[in-house]
Amino acid sequence: MQQFIVLIILWISLSVAKNALCQTLSESDLSRFENNPHSLQWTYTGGLNACQFCSIDLNLDGIADLLIFDRHGNRKLTFISSEFTGTSGYSFAPEYSLKMPDLHDWVITADYNCDGKMDIFTYNAGGVRVFKNVSDTSLKFEIVTDLLESWYYNGYVGILVTSVDYPAIADIDGDGDLDLLTFFGLGSYVEYHKNLSMEKYGNCDSLDYKLSDHCWGRFSESESGNRIVLNAVCPTQDEPFLRENNPRHTGSTLLATDLNNDGLKDLILGDYDYPGLIALYNGGTVDSALMVSQDTAFPAGAKPVKLFSFPSVSLIDIDRDGLQDIVVSPFDPGLYTSDNYNCVWFYRNTGTANQPVFEFSSDRLFRDQTLDFGTAAHPVLFDFDNDGLQDLFVGNDGYYDSSWYHNGLLKSQYTGRISWFKNTGTQSKPVFSNVTDDFANISKLGLRGIYPTFADVNNDGITDLVIGCSDGTLIFFAQKPSSGNIPQFDPPVMNWQNIDVGDYSAPQFFDIDRDQISELIVGERNGNLNYYKNQGSGSSVKFDFVTDSLGKINVTNYNLSYFGFSVPCFHQDNDGSTFLLVGSDEGRTHLFRNIDNNLTGKFEAIDSLYRWLAANPADTLFGWQTSPAIGHLTDNTEFDMITGNFSGGLNYISKRSPAAIIPGWKELPAQINPSFTLYPNPANRNTSIVYSGNSTVTLSGYVCNIFGQLILEFPITGKSEISTSDFPEGVYIIRCAGKTTRMVVVHQ
């Protein structure tokens, strides 16, 4: 019965209050478990991939709130804070994102006109766009300039800041206005653009820049790496940067701040394709910067930043203790290079305001309190266990595994999985309790772009699984008859039915022609829908190609992308008519009707999706590559919709409260003392528990099922034996003295 030995992340249900003995794990074992299932604070925020963290007062109460900008989708996540200390206490408030201007690639908030309100600097067409904060009774912005200019030698020119450069905006010379540092676009030297607002006007409310130093700090960055040369020979004004043999710059992130309380701005630098940060220390003067030393493993301490790829640093008091901390996240514009799991590193300032000491606190800040499935989440609602409640399955493009260099270029590996959340709630109050993060052991195939769909394909009365993947083919998993709570599948049938739609197949089984047999519709990267008619009978399965332009649909927006990444979700309305949702690359979820008896015609596009589903529609663009799932989760007549996006998270659209999520616990290394061992595991008729703590103390042990229900309480004094003869086959949780492990029961 080897099929029962699987790696499962354990999940505990909150729905049965009388079984609190197993549920209190979240209160007492935070040192052992990464997530607290009692308090996922930001469940449906849509995931985080490559983020910048910005301070801004959103609700105008005088308290700094938080804007998280994810460049993978240009997503604006807005959080309201209150008077608190620590990283909890932020409330997700997506309504404020609608009040923000359009932002692209990178964002910096800074008060350039000294009115106490944070203005916005962001990327635009190879330069810097600036929005002034003109809030009065509500949050408002107005455009100041689409292209921030500076006096270059003999005339005003737009300051060149590429989409792969993150400039430093700070008061470099200490005169009260905001200056700007950025790498020259084709060189390895930092330009210093001095703001002349104070010099010319005696105040700080202007953006009047002049290139004052084209080699600020007297250092250079190597052409093809992140090596820093101090005391570099800088080109002169008369020696053009554009010589054929001049080093070419490929992208960097900058943060200017005083790290050692000497009154001079030091520099923290991240580089394209590299995982670490370099701190450069300024030993010059206010008027003439000179970098005299460097720390290539910043921050110094037990855990310097090692984040693939291209880390950027945000300086922000994230825990509201009055000290500026640093938060680090990837800046890489590439979609398949960076870590998408441990991708928000938080270093708490344990020093002082003038002498900061940055100590590592977490590499999953905010992410550990959200649903996040790496890159490109694909939710599917399906009643897999036939209990009348729709379960939630989430495929993905992949979790980050590792990075390496090949011929000098950074490569990264991602592996796709399917997470299964069993609905343990009711018809009106769904509760999705996670059972496994690797349904059907999909990860062993080493694939990407996993999209699941379910049907009894071979007509044996048991639900089977078919998945799409990044190569455009389909893979079939026939489910075996099983009495356990973990479904087992036959070996996968690769290249199933010889269907190949090109790239990123997204299949769905649905009886689109009302013949009581499910047909197969497959979305793809090109944005169209492929239709395959089921011509088989009995256990003989045969899907024949009909058309690659079902409904004359193509969701590609060619103004934004060459691809559409169509993801179909057919469903029946309350009147029995068929409607269709289609996710897309641009982030829009399309609604189509006029489908029944019109399979050779053009489906009707409807623009009222969110007015139909939501009481108070907010932002309808949740990120790139949306992937919709819809069903009656909280009401027999009204629909709820869950969408995934490229950042790996989920958004929930409904007129009612969203479904509760019982998240999982990723086990951390066990503490040295006390501890206990369990053998044999898997267990057949019995198992033994050996406790290595104080054997003179009588302890209680607890056995719970995967939904937190107490099965057995037993005493522990050194060594104990428990009978598992009457336990149904499956996975159980054993808890003793604050320690927890899992037990698998397999009857032979």
Side-chain angles (χ1 to χ4, degrees), residues 34-36 39-40 42 362 364-370:
E34 185 177 60
N35 294 341
N36 180 353
S39 58
L40 261 191
W42 313 292
S362 171
R364 299 190 67 233
L365 180 69
F366 279 83
R367 287 197 77 262
D368 62 356
Q369 293 297 319
T370 68

Side-chain angles (χ1 to χ4, degrees), residues 142-354:
E142 67 178 27
I143 186 73
V144 176
T145 178
D146 271 328
L147 185 60
L148 192 62
E149 294 184 333
S150 183
W151 183 269
Y152 276 82
Y153 308 123
N154 55 14
Y156 281 102
V157 179
I159 300 174
L160 177 62
V161 180
T162 72
S163 63
V164 293
D165 279 303
Y166 196 44
I169 297 175
D171 185 5
I172 301 298
D173 55 6
D175 66 352
D177 54 23
L178 292 180
D179 310 301
L180 186 147
L181 300 175
T182 185
F183 269 97
F184 177 64
L186 297 176
S188 296
Y189 308 95
V190 169
E191 293 180 342
Y192 168 38
H193 295 269
K194 177 179 172 59
N195 192 345
L196 300 178
S197 182
M198 293 298 295
E199 286 80 359
K200 287 186 176 182
Y201 313 111
N203 57 58
C204 59
D205 65 358
S206 297
L207 297 169
D208 192 340
Y209 288 98
K210 177 184 178 180
L211 176 61
S212 296
D213 193 340
H214 58 260
C215 188
W216 187 82
R218 299 301 182 265
F219 73 93
S220 66
E221 186 183 50
S222 60
E223 175 183 359
S224 58
N226 66 341
R227 185 173 64 89
I228 299 297
V229 177
L230 302 178
N231 296 305
V233 177
C234 297
T236 66
Q237 179 177 338
D238 298 327
E239 183 182 11
F241 283 90
L242 300 181
R243 297 181 306 169
E244 183 178 348
N245 62 345
N246 201 74
R248 299 181 66 84
H249 172 64
T250 56
S252 296
T253 62
L254 301 176
L255 175 68
T257 187
D258 187 356
L259 293 171
N260 52 10
N261 196 27
D262 63 357
L264 302 175
K265 286 294 190 289
D266 307 302
L267 201 61
I268 303 173
L269 187 148
D271 194 71
Y272 197 85
D273 275 358
Y274 287 87
L277 294 173
I278 298 175
L280 302 178
Y281 291 90
N282 192 347
T285 66
V286 171
D287 296 323
S288 181
L290 176 65
M291 297 304 171
V292 296
S293 64
Q294 58 181 306
D295 179 0
T296 59
F298 181 84
K303 192 168 184 178
V305 171
K306 187 177 181 181
L307 175 59
F308 284 100
S309 157
F310 199 5
S312 65
V313 185
S314 301
L315 185 66
I316 182 173
D317 182 11
I318 198 74
D319 59 1
R320 296 300 311 280
D321 64 354
L323 301 176
Q324 297 284 80
D325 312 296
I326 60 174
V327 181
V328 188
S329 188
F331 192 70
D332 201 319
L335 304 182
Y336 305 105
T337 305
S338 300
D339 192 331
N340 59 20
Y341 192 75
N342 300 307
C343 59
V344 183
W345 291 41
F346 170 43
Y347 289 83
R348 178 178 286 109
N349 185 353
T350 60
T352 65
N354 295 326

Side-chain angles (χ1 to χ4, degrees), residues 432-502:
F432 291 126
S433 301
N434 187 274
V435 179
T436 177
D437 74 337
D438 195 9
F439 186 75
N441 295 320
I442 297 294
S443 67
K444 291 183 178 180
L445 300 179
L447 302 172
R448 282 180 40 198
I450 304 300
Y451 190 95
T453 187
F454 301 92
D456 180 8
V457 176
N458 52 14
N459 294 304
D460 63 354
I462 303 174
T463 299
D464 305 306
L465 167 68
V466 171
I467 66 170
C469 51
S470 61
D471 69 1
T473 65
L474 302 181
I475 303 173
F476 172 63
F477 296 79
Q479 186 182 172
K480 298 178 179 180
S482 173
S483 59
N485 54 20
I486 303 176
Q488 307 299 312
F489 296 90
D490 288 331
V493 178
M494 311 299 288
N495 196 24
W496 184 63
Q497 298 284 301
N498 292 314
I499 294 173
D500 187 343
V501 299

Side-chain angles (χ1 to χ4, degrees), residues 366-392:
F366 279 83
R367 287 197 77 262
D368 62 356
Q369 293 297 319
T370 68
L371 281 177
D372 197 315
F373 302 90
T375 292
H378 298 301
V380 172
L381 292 169
F382 184 78
D383 183 8
F384 185 81
D385 51 6
N386 296 310
D387 64 354
L389 302 174
Q390 289 185 300
D391 305 313
L392 174 64

